[in-house]
Amino acid sequence: MELNLKLADDDKFIIENNQYALGNGSYAVRQETQKGAIIIASDNGNGTINVSSNFVLNQNGTDITIDYTKPNPNFVDPAK
């Protein structure tokens, strides 16, 4: 299934498709927005893609939106 990340009307990407290796043949893509959201999509090495953010992500059908009012306290940025 293809999912679409929808940004708020007053937000835009400032860093796009910053790919890096995680090891064991796995990769991740890190994106940042001007409103401070960090979105990471990573491959677990078995074809499953995991998406995480420093804010809560909501899914409605194939659309994913960022809830800027709810920081994600469990977010770990592997690029840092």
Side-chain angles (χ1 to χ4, degrees):
M1 173 185 354
E2 183 176 314
L3 299 174
N4 303 302
L5 178 63
K6 303 283 188 177
L7 296 181
D9 290 340
D10 62 344
D11 201 2
K12 67 179 181 179
F13 285 114
I14 57 173
I15 297 177
E16 293 187 66
N17 301 323
N18 185 18
Q19 184 174 335
Y20 56 94
L22 296 173
N24 297 327
S26 299
Y27 288 88
V29 174
R30 185 177 191 275
Q31 298 179 301
E32 292 182 44
T33 74
Q34 71 180 16
K35 289 182 80 172
I38 299 170
I39 302 98
I40 297 178
S42 58
D43 169 32
N44 70 356
N46 295 318
T48 300
I49 303 296
N50 298 306
V51 179
S52 61
S53 176
N54 58 335
F55 290 97
V56 170
L57 298 174
N58 296 311
Q59 183 176 350
N60 182 9
T62 59
D63 292 339
I64 295 176
T65 57
I66 302 166
D67 187 340
Y68 299 97
T69 66
K70 295 180 181 173
N72 178 359
N74 299 317
F75 177 74
V76 176
D77 187 349
K80 295 218 172 194

